[in-house]
């Protein structure tokens, strides 16, 4: 059910950890590509700018609950799953 006027209260949007446009377009949420997407996305997150964003999320997750939001219809094959795995590690 969708309710008009309901908005999520977001403390932060960490854009540095978003997958690149090229990677998102290549992936196109094709379930068969998810393993390769996950590998490529993890590689992107090793880049210094992305790594700083991931480190920031890890710091936040140390002492509080971090909720990852995604707009995909299939969250089980999204970047949120990859980020959650990395934050739990």
């Amino acid at each position: 059910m969708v309710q008009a006027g309901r908005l999520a209260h977001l403390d932060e949007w960490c854009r540095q950890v978003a997958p690149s446009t090229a990677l998102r377009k290549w992936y196109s949420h094709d379930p068969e590509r998810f393993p390769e997407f996950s590998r490529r996305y993890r590689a992107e997150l090793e880049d210094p700018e992305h790594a700083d964003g991931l480190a920031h999320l890890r710091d936040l997750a140390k002492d509080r609950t971090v909720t990852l939001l995604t707009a995909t219809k299939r969250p089980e094959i999204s970047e949120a799953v990859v980020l959650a795995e990395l934050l739990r590690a």
Side-chain angles (χ1 to χ4, degrees):
M1 179 166 92
V2 176
Q3 295 180 341
R6 296 266 183 170
L7 298 176
H9 173 76
L10 303 177
D11 292 323
E12 188 168 338
W13 180 11
C14 191
R15 292 179 184 163
Q16 299 93 334
V17 298
S20 68
T21 300
L23 180 57
R24 282 186 289 106
K25 286 182 176 183
W26 169 83
Y27 175 42
S28 190
H29 278 82
D30 179 344
E32 292 182 16
R33 290 185 173 181
F34 183 71
E36 181 62 16
F37 166 79
S38 179
R39 187 193 69 72
R40 291 181 187 190
Y41 181 40
R42 288 171 184 261
E44 283 189 354
L45 290 170
E46 292 177 7
D47 174 78
E49 181 183 342
H50 296 287
D52 288 346
L54 182 58
H56 176 68
L57 283 180
R58 282 188 172 129
D59 286 343
L60 292 174
K62 284 180 185 176
D63 61 356
R64 67 187 84 165
T65 300
V66 172
T67 302
L68 303 172
L69 301 178
T70 182
T72 184
K73 293 178 183 177
R74 307 260 327 258
E76 70 277 8
I77 59 168
S78 73
E79 70 276 1
V81 169
V82 178
L83 281 174
E85 289 173 357
L86 291 170
L87 293 174
R88 287 186 192 114

